[in-house]
Amino acid sequence: MPSSLRLLTALLCLSLALAGCGRRGDSGAAGPAVRPVRTVIVGDSSGSELRRFPGKVEATQQAELSFRVAGQLREVLVREGDRVEAGSVIARLDPTDFETALADRQATFDNAERNFRRASELVESGSISRLDYDRMEAQFRSAEAALEQARNNLAYTALRAPFTGRIAQRLVENFEEVQARQPVFYLQGDQQLDVVIDLPETIIRQVRRGDAVAMEEDVASSEAARVRAWAMFSDHPELRLPLTLREVATRADASTQTYRVTFSMPPPSAFTVLPGMTADVAVDFSPLLSGKNVFWLPAQAVQADASLAPQVWVYDSESGTVSARAVETGRLAEDRIQVLAGLEGGEEVVAVGAPYLSEGMRVRPLPQLEQAEPRPGDR
């Protein structure tokens, strides 16, 4: 009996405990939970218009070098990759034929000069006619020009670098017969580099009328020069190399319908950049793109309503609730989306937690954490 009594007592206590829990659950019912969210303040219309393009590195100065006369290549004084100074000799042709031609023209000139001087003395005394004198003068002038041409041809057997740079490519072998104007070397300057991108016509159409570069206007002093740009390379993502606008083509490529835009930069000292390499170019078009108020919001801040139309949740600090507002969206760039209409600026919009909200729901914005402004090179 004592064990039965203990069992009965335990069952009674458990029943009383369950009953008490039920009463507390009924009497302690609370209102709807306040959902925590993270919000952002809608900025003004001068926000970043950052676009990214694939770019190609080119040498600002580049040239195909060739001899001005034909002949046999006798000396190649440089190799691919060598740095050469402006005016230095980089190759020579066999000068034998040109030296022979120069000697012949020199002899012809000397004879014509002597005849012309004698004729000058004789014409005054009337010993020869004026017609003979004019003929001898013409022969002298012709021989003088031929001699100068022979001297130039001999000088042209030495190929000189027109500017300081590096030999990018050698196109012929030594002792090879080369023709006049036949490319022999490809020379690239190493003082400055170009980064070229192709700009689509969709961006060109957004540029304010009057901001385009006029044909007679210097690009460096135009409105377009206020555009900021950076070059980034995949193996050095932490470095942003500032670019300077140099050229803007106003004629579209026939096959791609894009416009060639050329930026320039000095060669970086931290690593090697050579012509032909690729780069990621970030361009901020804020000074040029315009029109109505355009805002950039985190992509997760824009949600779809029941009809799949875009909307955002605007937080009212006085009531602590959110309300849906229809918006018109534009382009998506990485994790941000363009809002073209529906916002005026200054609103507090839910950025994190928007999919779980409903009209009039009470929310609690989380504290805004101070963080650095993302750089154009950040992904």
Side-chain angles (χ1 to χ4, degrees), residues 312-325:
V312 297
W313 293 99
V314 180
Y315 173 69
D316 184 359
S317 59
E318 294 184 0
S319 63
T321 60
V322 293
S323 59
R325 183 179 299 183

Side-chain angles (χ1 to χ4, degrees), residues 212-235:
V213 180
M215 295 299 294
E216 68 278 1
E217 184 180 12
D218 183 10
V219 172
S221 61
S222 66
E223 286 289 315
R226 297 190 295 119
V227 171
R228 297 178 299 165
W230 303 266
M232 292 152 287
F233 296 85
S234 58
D235 51 348

